[in-house]
Amino acid sequence: MKGILICGGTGSRLRPLTDITNKSLLPVYDKPLLQYPLQILLDAGIRHIAVITGPEHMEQITKFLGSGSRFGCEFAYRVQEKPKGIAEALGLARELVGSDHCCVLLGDNVFFSNLSPIIKKFTGGGHLFVKNVSDPERFGVVTMEGDRVKKIEEKPKNPASDMVATGCYIYDSRCFDVIASLTPSARNELEISDVSEWYARRNELTATVLDDEWIDAGTFESLFRASELVRMRTINGA
């Protein structure tokens, strides 16, 4: 399995902090934000990782991450010229992934659940990690039957449930052909929900409901909460 760490986007909700740096490099307690999703890939034994970011932030990202040797892995860097969606960013890693499976992590997501066992035992199709939230309209909303995802809808005005897809996705290599067939949404992006929906229509998309905290640290409040939680768990040895 190959890893994909996506650190793109404009970070508009975190301005003025993101006027000078990529949001994935903002601090969460004692580490840059992106180091938390990176650790998930490393804990799952993934050692070949593509890092995707915009041209304005590539120098900062590469300066921090380097070749990957100090993390015990190898990074390949890809530039997403414009923020046109998670699916487009994933598509840039096609050459690296080849015929392998891939685990995609968003660089601004902090997970407190242990995802490694699920990632390690993935055998094909697609898999999501989902969570109940109070504001599902901000995310990809998931409808499930057992552990199967029957439908996923991106940022609906009237969510069918309060269960949403978090920023960790696992796919087999067919995802790249799916991405190549997509057309931009009304937001002018290639939506990762459309990739997941392709697997769902074939009854090949499963999901794990997270049993611990998950934070999409894209706002001041959520970034602060992530730092607070990490600090408390560090102090308490959790």
Side-chain angles (χ1 to χ4, degrees):
M1 183 177 286
K2 300 298 198 306
I4 318 294
L5 185 61
I6 298 179
C7 303
T10 61
S12 58
R13 293 176 297 168
L14 286 167
R15 289 176 177 155
L17 297 179
T18 49
D19 287 344
I20 56 172
T21 192
N22 183 278
K23 65 178 176 180
S24 298
L25 292 173
L26 294 173
V28 170
Y29 189 47
D30 58 349
K31 290 188 284 289
L33 180 49
L34 64 77
Q35 201 164 335
Y36 294 92
L38 170 60
Q39 192 61 50
I40 291 172
L41 296 173
L42 298 177
D43 289 346
I46 297 171
R47 293 296 178 262
H48 295 278
I49 300 169
V51 181
I52 319 293
T53 192
E56 68 276 21
H57 295 133
M58 183 57 77
E59 184 177 354
Q60 292 178 320
I61 296 285
T62 54
K63 183 176 181 180
F64 173 68
L65 292 176
S67 67
S69 59
R70 71 187 178 101
F71 298 101
C73 64
E74 182 179 334
F75 294 124
Y77 294 96
R78 299 290 184 272
V79 173
Q80 185 180 25
E81 293 295 342
K82 294 182 179 180
K84 290 192 173 182
I86 297 168
E88 188 202 56
L90 170 57
L92 298 174
R94 182 169 196 161
E95 183 181 347
L96 172 76
V97 175
S99 60
D100 292 337
H101 304 321
C102 59
C103 181
V104 185
L105 267 296
L106 303 188
D108 61 356
N109 276 221
V110 181
F111 293 84
F112 294 88
S113 299
N114 182 10
L115 311 187
S116 298
I118 305 296
I119 297 171
K120 288 178 178 179
K121 70 180 183 182
F122 179 79
T123 58
H127 192 83
L128 305 177
F129 294 89
V130 300
K131 184 75 175 173
N132 290 98
V133 299
S134 60
D135 51 353
E137 66 280 356
R138 293 182 48 226
F139 303 97
V141 175
V142 171
T143 303
M144 295 178 64
E145 289 182 8
D147 68 345
R148 295 278 167 178
V149 176
K150 307 308 291 184
K151 185 178 181 181
I152 180 166
E153 190 177 6
E154 185 65 24
K155 295 181 172 64
K157 291 182 180 179
N158 299 298
S161 77
D162 59 1
M163 189 78 74
V164 304
T166 65
C168 182
Y169 316 84
I170 316 175
Y171 301 117
D172 59 29
S173 61
R174 290 177 295 167
C175 68
F176 295 103
D177 287 335
V178 177
I179 291 168
S181 72
L182 295 180
T183 54
S185 66
R187 302 191 303 158
N188 197 32
E189 294 186 5
L190 298 186
E191 303 287 358
I192 198 67
S193 291
D194 289 341
V195 179
S196 295
E197 180 67 14
W198 185 89
Y199 287 95
R201 289 197 302 269
R202 289 157 179 78
N203 202 33
E204 295 183 44
L205 185 64
T206 54
T208 298
V209 179
L210 296 177
D211 58 3
D212 204 343
E213 294 276 358
W214 158 70
I215 298 178
D216 174 9
T219 66
F220 293 113
E221 286 299 318
S222 59
L223 186 66
F224 178 77
R225 176 164 168 72
S227 288
E228 212 172 24
L229 278 176
V230 171
R231 177 180 177 273
M232 291 306 299
R233 295 189 183 210
T234 300
I235 291 171
N236 294 328

